[in-house]
Amino acid sequence: MDEQLVSLSKIFTERIFRIPDYQRGYSWGEKQLKDFWNDLAQLDNESDHYTGVLTLETVPEEEYLHWQDDIWIIKSKRYRPFFVVDGQQRLTTAIILIQTIIEQISEKEKLNYDSKKDISRKFIFDSKDNGISRSYIFGYQKDNPSYETLKTKVFCEKSHTAEELDTVYAQNLEHAKTFFKKHIKQLQKEDLGTIYTKISQQLLFNLFTITREIDVCVAFETMNNRGKPLSQLELLKNRLIYLSLKFNDTDEEKLALRNTINNCWKSVYHNLGRNKENPLNDDQFLQAHYFVYFGDNEARFTTPYIRA
């Protein structure tokens, strides 16, 4: 396990990042966004700020070979692909803020001596074939319902598919973009450069890369006992994916089961977020489902998963 204290700019050097399917989606709300923004605003220009732990897992070759949009940047430009095991919320928030900053500057302007195009290439996407083919530096796997929202609503990119599932997590991504746009518009041009320097150079992460011998599903669950707690519904999904890997079945059967789990949770979170003004609570839904399934309305609600 490697460990070092590094800035966001160094973390995003010849690496691409994907949120794996056992992770929950983007869960930060108004409180967490305000805390993040206040930390940046109060950070002295000459000081660094310890942001927390970022834990990565190297993506195996047999998996990234299926990433058709990314294989060129991995093979030709030697970018290393990683799954984000811990630190997703802070990393996603930082990228949303950087994208919001990019949208406020012209093609001729520079921030911290970087052009708009350079910043976008480093943190958002790189391209080939005159911009036709793009590889996103940070994002979700394509079958994640938040993939399209991050691409279209946050990165302002065109979509080649009509499928865009509106989930609670997708709404959180849009809200974060709106939050930062409101605050960025209040800044002077020189202050914009200061914020960019703070977020790219002065936020420091403890960077860990875990080995393949460590079970990442268990590591994810353990690590997320801190920060904003995972809901029981999110923990249940993680546990089911973990258990699906333990069956003595073919890889195709295990993958099919994993896809079934992901599709089920995709549908659940879509329906939980149908009322944007009053989205349904994860654990209240799980409790109701528990009572209906077991048929005992007098039952005391307990955590409906078993630790391996």
Side-chain angles (χ1 to χ4, degrees):
M1 182 179 284
D2 300 328
E3 175 187 358
Q4 48 187 317
L5 197 63
V6 290
S7 68
L8 202 66
S9 181
K10 290 182 179 178
I11 290 171
F12 276 74
T13 299
E14 297 183 347
R15 292 185 176 100
I16 62 172
F17 306 92
R18 295 293 176 266
I19 308 300
D21 59 359
Y22 56 79
Q23 282 266 26
R24 65 175 165 186
Y26 185 66
S27 64
W28 274 19
E30 190 78 10
K31 179 184 183 303
Q32 290 81 18
L33 293 171
K34 284 181 178 178
D35 289 343
F36 186 90
W37 180 259
N38 289 337
D39 284 343
L40 282 176
Q42 295 169 14
L43 179 60
D44 186 88
N45 292 348
E46 304 301 321
S47 301
D48 293 327
H49 178 73
Y50 176 66
T51 311
V53 176
L54 178 62
T55 307
L56 307 175
E57 177 203 7
T58 303
V59 180
E61 184 177 18
E62 61 267 22
E63 184 145 0
Y64 71 64
L65 285 176
H66 297 289
W67 298 1
Q68 295 182 358
D69 294 338
D70 306 313
I71 193 66
W72 71 274
I73 199 172
I74 297 171
K75 291 291 188 180
S76 299
K77 300 191 75 171
R78 310 295 290 179
Y79 274 53
R80 298 177 62 195
F82 291 93
F83 285 133
V84 181
V85 179
D86 187 37
Q88 176 214 161
Q89 307 296 331
R90 282 159 288 156
L91 204 58
T92 306
T93 304
I95 294 303
I96 294 173
L97 177 53
I98 288 174
Q99 172 63 31
T100 308
I101 291 172
I102 291 173
E103 293 173 16
Q104 298 301 311
I105 63 174
S106 69
E107 298 294 337
K108 295 182 179 180
E109 290 180 281
K110 290 190 175 184
L111 294 177
N112 197 15
Y113 301 101
D114 291 329
S115 68
K116 180 175 183 175
K117 187 174 182 179
D118 289 338
I119 297 171
S120 182
R121 185 185 295 117
K122 185 178 186 67
F123 294 104
I124 311 302
F125 67 82
D126 202 350
S127 60
K128 62 171 183 168
D129 302 329
N130 295 320
I132 296 175
S133 300
R134 294 184 173 181
S135 177
Y136 291 93
I137 306 301
F138 173 85
Y140 298 90
Q141 292 180 280
K142 273 196 169 182
D143 58 353
N144 190 300
S146 295
Y147 172 85
E148 285 295 324
T149 301
L150 185 68
K151 178 181 175 180
T152 60
K153 297 300 195 309
V154 177
F155 294 156
C156 302
E157 294 289 303
K158 292 182 179 179
S159 176
H160 298 294
T161 175
E163 182 181 3
E164 186 173 319
L165 202 59
D166 191 17
T167 67
V168 174
Y169 296 139
Q171 293 168 22
N172 290 339
L173 288 169
E174 290 189 66
H175 174 68
K177 179 74 178 290
T178 301
F179 175 91
F180 287 129
K181 284 179 70 174
K182 181 180 70 174
H183 285 78
I184 287 296
K185 286 182 178 179
Q186 299 173 5
L187 299 179
Q188 301 296 323
K189 287 293 183 181
E190 57 269 21
D191 296 327
L192 205 60
T194 300
I195 289 292
Y196 173 68
T197 299
K198 287 180 180 181
I199 196 168
S200 62
Q201 302 289 341
Q202 295 174 242
L203 297 186
L204 301 183
F205 293 80
N206 258 122
L207 184 63
F208 291 89
T209 304
I210 64 177
T211 64
R212 295 291 296 170
E213 288 75 24
I214 297 176
D215 193 307
V216 292
C217 288
V218 175
F220 164 72
E221 182 180 316
T222 303
M223 291 170 179
N224 281 276
N225 284 329
R226 63 177 182 274
K228 184 175 180 180
L230 291 164
S231 70
Q232 297 298 326
L233 186 61
E234 291 163 335
L235 286 170
L236 177 58
K237 176 191 174 185
N238 171 263
R239 180 55 45 172
L240 291 175
I241 288 179
Y242 169 78
L243 293 175
S244 74
L245 301 174
K246 301 301 179 182
F247 288 126
N248 188 24
D249 291 317
T250 65
D251 289 342
E252 290 77 13
E253 290 173 319
K254 287 190 283 189
L255 179 60
L257 178 57
R258 189 164 179 163
N259 288 336
T260 298
I261 295 168
N262 282 321
N263 288 333
C264 179
W265 256 253
K266 186 187 300 185
S267 177
V268 168
Y269 275 100
H270 170 59
N271 284 286
L272 290 177
R274 279 182 178 273
N275 185 344
K276 293 185 178 182
E277 301 301 320
N278 186 27
L280 299 177
N281 179 272
D282 300 32
D283 290 336
Q284 289 179 0
F285 162 79
L286 186 57
Q287 183 176 21
H289 178 76
Y290 176 84
F291 287 149
V292 170
Y293 185 83
F294 290 102
D296 183 3
N297 289 326
E298 301 300 322
R300 182 179 176 182
F301 180 60
T302 56
T303 304
Y305 70 86
I306 301 173
R307 292 184 177 272

